[in-house]
Amino acid sequence: MLKRFLSLEDFKLFLSSLTIVSLFFSAVVVGGQAYAATQTTTLTVTVNTALTFAIDNNAGNTAFPAIDPGTPVMATTTLQVTTNDVNGWTVALAGDDQGTSNTVMDLTTDASVGLTDQTEWVPGTATTSVGNAVQIGSLDNSGDVLAFRVMSASGSVPFRSTSWWGSQDNYLTDSANTLWAGIASSTVSRNIGNAGAGSYSSSVHLNTVQYYLDVPASQQSGSYTGALTYTATAN
Amino acid sequence: MFRFKSKYFFAFLPCVVLVVGVFFLPRFIDAATGLTIRPVKVSHTIKPGESVSGVIHLSSASDGEPINVEASVEDFIPVAGAEGIQFVGRAPGVTTVRDWIDLGGKKVFDLKQDEQVEIPYTVTAPENAEPGSHFGVAFFKATRPDSFGEGGGLSIGTRIGMLILITVPGNHLQKGNILGFTGPAFVQKAPVDFQIKFENTGTVHFEPKGTLTLRNMFGSEVGRVPIEGQTVLPTGIKDINVSWEVKGWLLGRYSATAVLYDGEGVAVTTGTITFWVIPIWYLLGFLVAVLVLFVILRWLKRRVRISLVSP
């Protein structure tokens, strides 16, 4: 076919070019393989697995600003996870003193008085499966609850889940793309983040947990405190 | 006398402010609270009545004041149909792993910044331990004193755990299925990454091991990759990632066959997929080189004449 477009001399030149380039590329490929074939020394070592987990906020305490009933407030906690285990890690969250008959945050002078919690978080079977988080407009108790979410538009990619928390981080704005859930009880700590083997990275994985809080006008005034525990394990 | 132009001064001023702010003004740095644990997971096979021991290495990943650490042991169970686990405090049963594990040393202690400790542990399977898998986790929780004042707030604890997987030998099954075997349909060069979705349908946790065999379009074997290193809990599903690293040039259609074996060496299941390797940039470079050399040779042939002149 080339003969139709090239003269005989040009066709011979083309074949010469093809031959020269083929020899050159073959030499590069074979030479690389031959070089590799001579590198047969094998050294072996076993690297032990390790996991580091830390929170970064005011030495372990998160304070809300003073709240007026009907005006929700926010606070945050930043999490850092690092591991060299290729199977990745899982992070769970639970309220230390939270249960069906007890709230996460109680009045410091009377533990029987507490701030209402949103329905406990139940994750999907995978970070790509929907959980039971809802937007602000669908929160229990007309939005007068303590709720949380993990940021999904910022932070390390393996630590994000748009299926669980929505695709946007709208601060205190009622949006179907920003979902919130209640803090799980200490008897059934629930996963809030997971980096499986497919998304593993040896670098530090960071993300921030946002807390949402609003109270009704009838909420007893005073200082309320609570304790949370973030747990990290390898997969 | 040195004269400083006003336009340079106003350009220089923000830089001065920035430098002063970075290096001289007080900075509000939140103190980190955290721990590092090593190893992250251990697996032991223990006959009823026997024990096994090990050491947990724990270090502070916190800064500032020392942290308070509290050690504990809990059970966990695999989440059916998923890769995750669930901490349950105490699993169902007369006796569970949290009763079998004894953590040596103090249960509550302080750790200074960068301090490391070694915590011995012993796992003793009772005489009436049921055959099969049993799961526990050794937790270490780091906290700092509350400092809310009158404002209230949330006290945040950081907890890290080492998973302990126990197998009591006896009448149990190590079976599973490959739910999916995926890989790229097309790549330009190695490495080629594959993913095997494996479901443990047995009664104990085990590490499915096997081989990924690569063949070229002529049926000849061109590579063999071991599959190992990822434990799957009973009822659990895990994505096992395998990567084919090869030095050399690849071109054409290849097939990959995955064979996994249970704990007794019996082939659990197999799967085969095909993919193409076309080094596009390499081929484009080759064609460009041919055309360039052709043009050069054609130009030389028409422009340059070499003749021998007799003296």
Side-chain angles (χ1 to χ4, degrees):
Chain A
M1 182 178 174
L2 277 173
K3 277 188 168 180
R4 289 188 177 182
F5 303 96
L6 300 173
S7 65
L8 181 60
E9 290 299 319
D10 288 343
F11 181 70
K12 290 180 181 177
L13 282 176
F14 182 82
L15 285 180
S16 301
S17 304
L18 186 63
T19 304
I20 294 170
V21 174
S22 297
L23 288 172
F24 175 77
F25 273 63
S26 298
V28 170
V29 170
V30 173
Q33 290 179 322
Y35 179 80
T38 61
Q39 311 302 309
T40 57
T41 302
T42 301
L43 298 177
T44 60
V45 65
T46 298
V47 177
N48 291 325
T49 55
L51 173 70
T52 299
F53 181 49
I55 58 171
D56 190 10
N57 67 303
N58 196 26
N61 298 302
T62 294
F64 286 99
I67 184 173
D68 294 321
T71 304
V73 295
M74 261 190 54
T76 60
T77 297
T78 298
L79 310 178
Q80 305 174 33
V81 189
T82 314
T83 183
N84 63 346
D85 188 328
V86 295
N87 292 307
W89 49 262
T90 295
V91 171
L93 168 64
D96 289 8
D97 192 29
Q98 195 269 356
T100 53
S101 59
N102 197 1
T103 55
V104 172
M105 298 186 72
D106 302 327
L107 187 64
T108 53
T109 55
D110 185 355
S112 65
V113 179
L115 303 179
T116 304
D117 293 316
Q118 170 63 15
T119 300
E120 289 184 29
W121 161 241
V122 178
T125 54
T127 56
T128 52
S129 306
V130 175
N132 69 338
V134 298
Q135 66 186 89
I136 288 178
S138 300
L139 290 173
D140 300 337
N141 204 33
S142 303
D144 297 325
V145 293
L146 172 67
F148 84 101
R149 66 182 297 275
V150 181
M151 297 184 78
S152 52
S154 63
S156 303
V157 171
F159 214 147
R160 300 188 214 167
S161 172
T162 55
S163 299
W164 283 3
W165 310 111
S167 58
Q168 298 175 0
D169 298 326
N170 296 305
Y171 292 75
L172 298 180
T173 301
D174 183 15
S175 167
N177 297 318
T178 303
L179 307 178
W180 302 81
I183 295 168
S185 70
S186 56
T187 58
V188 57
S189 183
R190 298 253 166 75
N191 294 341
I192 64 168
N194 175 274
S199 55
Y200 157 78
S201 167
S202 60
S203 57
V204 177
H205 290 163
L206 294 167
N207 210 338
T208 298
V209 175
Q210 298 173 297
Y211 308 101
Y212 164 99
L213 177 63
D214 197 3
V215 297
S218 57
Q219 188 71 47
Q220 182 173 341
S221 63
S223 173
Y224 291 77
T225 57
L228 305 180
T229 297
Y230 288 92
T231 301
T233 55
N235 288 335
Chain B
M1 181 177 176
F2 178 76
R3 298 181 63 182
F4 199 81
K5 293 188 177 180
S6 61
K7 65 178 179 179
Y8 294 131
F9 173 76
F10 286 110
F12 183 66
L13 184 60
C15 299
V16 173
V17 172
L18 180 63
V19 170
V20 170
V22 170
F23 292 103
F24 297 105
L25 291 178
R27 288 183 287 180
F28 297 94
I29 300 176
D30 294 337
T33 304
L35 293 165
T36 297
I37 194 168
R38 178 170 52 88
V40 302
K41 187 189 310 178
V42 294
S43 185
H44 298 296
T45 298
I46 312 174
K47 295 179 181 177
E50 295 186 353
S51 300
V52 65
S53 299
V55 175
I56 302 171
H57 301 267
L58 189 72
S59 60
S60 171
S62 308
D63 49 27
E65 294 298 314
I67 54 174
N68 179 259
V69 180
E70 182 179 344
S72 63
V73 178
E74 291 187 16
D75 294 321
F76 76 85
I77 57 176
V79 177
E83 189 174 339
I85 60 177
Q86 183 174 335
F87 306 120
V88 293
R90 178 178 291 281
V94 175
T95 171
T96 62
V97 172
R98 65 178 289 169
D99 301 318
W100 304 358
I101 298 174
D102 176 45
L103 292 179
K106 297 179 180 178
K107 298 300 182 288
V108 180
F109 52 93
D110 290 337
L111 269 184
K112 299 175 185 176
Q113 183 176 346
D114 298 326
E115 183 181 359
Q116 301 181 40
V117 295
E118 291 186 354
I119 300 163
Y121 71 90
T122 301
V123 185
T124 303
E127 293 290 346
N128 61 348
E130 295 180 357
S133 288
H134 305 268
F135 310 112
V137 53
F139 278 133
F140 300 91
K141 180 177 175 180
T143 55
R144 293 183 187 269
D146 294 343
S147 58
F148 297 120
E150 296 181 356
L154 291 167
S155 171
I156 310 296
T158 309
R159 189 169 68 167
I160 203 166
M162 181 187 78
L163 304 181
I164 302 173
L165 313 181
I166 306 295
T167 299
V168 177
N171 187 17
H172 57 256
L173 294 174
Q174 290 186 343
K175 296 294 182 184
N177 290 320
I178 289 182
L179 300 181
F181 179 31
T182 58
F186 158 76
V187 295
Q188 293 195 47
K189 60 178 182 177
V192 185
D193 297 321
F194 303 91
Q195 191 174 72
I196 305 169
K197 188 177 290 290
F198 184 84
E199 178 186 27
N200 184 338
T201 58
T203 59
V204 295
H205 65 279
F206 70 97
E207 180 183 321
K209 294 185 179 181
T211 307
L212 182 71
T213 304
L214 293 306
R215 298 182 185 278
N216 60 19
M217 67 179 79
F218 306 110
S220 301
E221 182 178 313
V222 295
R224 187 178 283 257
V225 182
I227 304 172
E228 59 186 3
Q230 300 186 50
T231 301
V232 187
L233 304 181
T235 75
I237 296 175
K238 175 162 281 191
D239 292 328
I240 300 173
N241 294 287
V242 187
S243 182
W244 180 36
E245 304 266 358
V246 60
K247 291 178 181 171
W249 200 65
L250 301 176
L251 176 65
R253 183 171 175 271
Y254 293 83
S255 67
T257 302
V259 179
L260 291 176
Y261 299 89
D262 62 20
E264 299 175 4
V266 178
V268 174
T269 187
T270 62
T272 300
I273 60 174
T274 58
F275 59 98
W276 285 86
V277 181
I278 301 177
I280 293 179
W281 290 112
Y282 183 92
L283 292 176
L284 279 176
F286 178 86
L287 288 175
V288 168
V290 169
L291 289 175
V292 168
L293 185 59
F294 168 68
V295 169
I296 291 173
L297 290 176
R298 194 162 179 254
W299 183 87
L300 286 173
K301 182 176 173 59
R302 293 183 178 181
R303 298 283 190 280
V304 177
R305 291 187 182 280
I306 301 174
S307 61
L308 294 174
V309 179
S310 57

